[in-house]
């Protein structure tokens, strides 16, 4: 039974061929060194949030920026889907109980500077939040069909008094039905033959040029990328992909 996650489904959206090879043949894209600073900040943040979870209040860092309390429910979730004969799982950074009792995923992101407007979150993290909402609902939880992405970024200040960070909270609407649609499409891809590369996949293009020995040769056969719902509202798509994607 294939076991998929938000990051694996994101790979499917980027390039079905890389996704198929990763899952079916265990051939992963090459990766460089992963910076340890975001992981360290994430560890400290989760310990900090845990203190306030036990007190039944929101941490001062985000108090006043959203409503609710931190959930006591398990954050590692998954379900076996009989329709696709596959498993979807994920580990939420945290989860908020809204005043009406419904749950909303919360995710920590570190950045070098404050994020742009809401379109930034919709461009890079919308699908991840859709998947987390789907996981909550398939595990029997009522959700608000919203999610909170909390950004932490350095700001100017007296460093000898502690490294100052700014905090911004983006709240987005989520669509678990869209997450399931992509999940089902990805499982159908795995059950079929090796698919063509996505037109924009630099990994497949590099491999093709390396194997052909012709740097001026044509790129590998391209497939149209899987359809993805347009974000709400239409986001800007310029700028580099953030290093903290799914961090």
């Amino acid at each position: 039974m294939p076991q998929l996650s938000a990051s694996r489904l994101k790979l499917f959206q980027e390039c079905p061929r890389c996704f198929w090879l990763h899952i079916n043949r265990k051939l992963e894209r090459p990766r460089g060194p992963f910076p340890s600073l975001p992981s360290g900040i994430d560890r400290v943040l989760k310990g900090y949030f845990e203190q306030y979870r036990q007190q039944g209040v929101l941490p001062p860092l985000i108090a006043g920026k959203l409503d609710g309390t931190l959930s006591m429910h398990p954050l590692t979730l998954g379900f076996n889907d009989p329709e696709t004969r596959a498993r979807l799982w994920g580990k939420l950074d945290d989860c908020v109980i809204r005043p009406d009792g419904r749950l909303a995923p919360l995710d920590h992101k570190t950045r070098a500077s404050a994020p742009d407007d809401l379109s930034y979150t919709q461009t890079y993290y919308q699908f991840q939040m859709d998947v987390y909402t789907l996981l909550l609902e398939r595990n029997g939880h009522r959700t608000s069909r919203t999610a909170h992405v909390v950004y932490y970024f350095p700001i100017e200040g007296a460093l000898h008094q502690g490294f100052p960070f700014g905090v911004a909270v983006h709240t987005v609407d989520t669509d678990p039905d869209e997450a399931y649609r992509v999940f089902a499409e990805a499982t159908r891809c795995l059950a079929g033959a090796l698919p063509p590369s996505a037109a924009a996949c630099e990994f497949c293009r590099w491999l093709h040029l390396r194997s052909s020995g012709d740097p001026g040769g044509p790129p590998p056969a391209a497939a149209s990328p899987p359809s993805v719902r347009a974000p709400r509202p239409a986001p800007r798509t310029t700028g580099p992909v953030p290093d903290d994607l799914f961090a």
Side-chain angles (χ1 to χ4, degrees):
M1 174 181 289
Q3 298 197 37
L4 304 179
S5 63
S7 59
R8 295 293 173 262
L9 294 179
K10 188 69 175 178
L11 176 60
F12 168 66
Q13 291 178 317
E14 292 174 1
C15 179
R17 189 182 187 91
C18 286
F19 169 76
W20 192 98
L21 290 170
H22 184 105
I23 302 298
N24 286 343
R25 298 287 177 82
K26 311 304 179 187
L27 295 175
E28 300 183 10
R29 285 176 168 180
R31 293 178 295 178
F34 187 80
S36 61
L37 181 59
S39 298
I41 293 175
D42 188 68
R43 173 179 51 80
V44 172
L45 280 171
K46 289 178 179 177
Y48 168 79
F49 269 62
E50 193 61 35
Q51 297 176 36
Y52 291 93
R53 187 190 321 280
Q54 302 304 322
Q55 299 176 30
V57 297
L58 289 177
L61 272 178
I62 60 172
K65 294 181 171 64
L66 56 91
D67 295 325
T69 57
L70 298 178
S71 170
M72 300 292 287
H73 297 295
L75 298 176
T76 299
L77 302 169
F79 68 91
N80 296 332
D81 182 46
E83 295 294 327
T84 60
R85 297 182 180 180
R87 178 174 178 81
L88 182 63
W89 77 280
K91 185 174 182 180
L92 284 63
D93 279 350
D94 220 311
C95 192
V96 172
I97 304 176
R98 303 293 297 271
D100 63 1
R102 296 177 183 271
L103 301 185
L106 182 148
D107 205 70
H108 302 297
K109 303 294 183 187
T110 53
R111 279 180 47 85
S113 59
D116 296 330
D117 57 27
L118 196 62
S119 65
Y120 177 87
T121 299
Q122 292 169 325
T123 299
Y124 295 114
Y125 303 119
Q126 179 70 60
F127 181 70
Q128 182 186 10
M129 298 302 104
D130 291 345
V131 170
Y132 287 171
T133 300
L134 174 62
L135 288 170
L136 285 168
E137 293 189 356
R138 286 300 185 98
N139 279 269
H141 300 296
R142 295 187 309 146
T143 74
S144 61
R145 296 210 167 183
T146 60
H148 307 293
V149 181
V150 186
Y151 296 96
Y152 307 89
F153 47 91
I155 57 177
E156 298 293 334
L159 297 185
H160 62 279
Q161 296 179 357
F163 207 106
F165 274 82
V167 179
V169 178
H170 285 184
T171 299
V172 295
D173 294 329
T174 59
D175 186 352
D177 295 332
E178 171 67 8
Y180 183 81
R181 185 193 67 78
V182 175
F183 172 60
E185 189 175 345
T187 59
R188 289 193 294 271
C189 172
L190 292 176
L194 177 65
S197 302
C201 182
E202 296 179 353
F203 294 91
C204 287
R205 181 174 179 82
W206 176 86
L207 182 61
H208 170 77
L209 295 178
R210 183 177 183 275
S211 60
S212 68
D214 178 12
S224 299
S227 57
V228 180
R229 174 202 53 196
R232 305 174 297 271
R236 295 193 300 272
T237 56
T238 57
V241 174
D243 293 334
D244 62 347
L245 196 61
F246 296 119

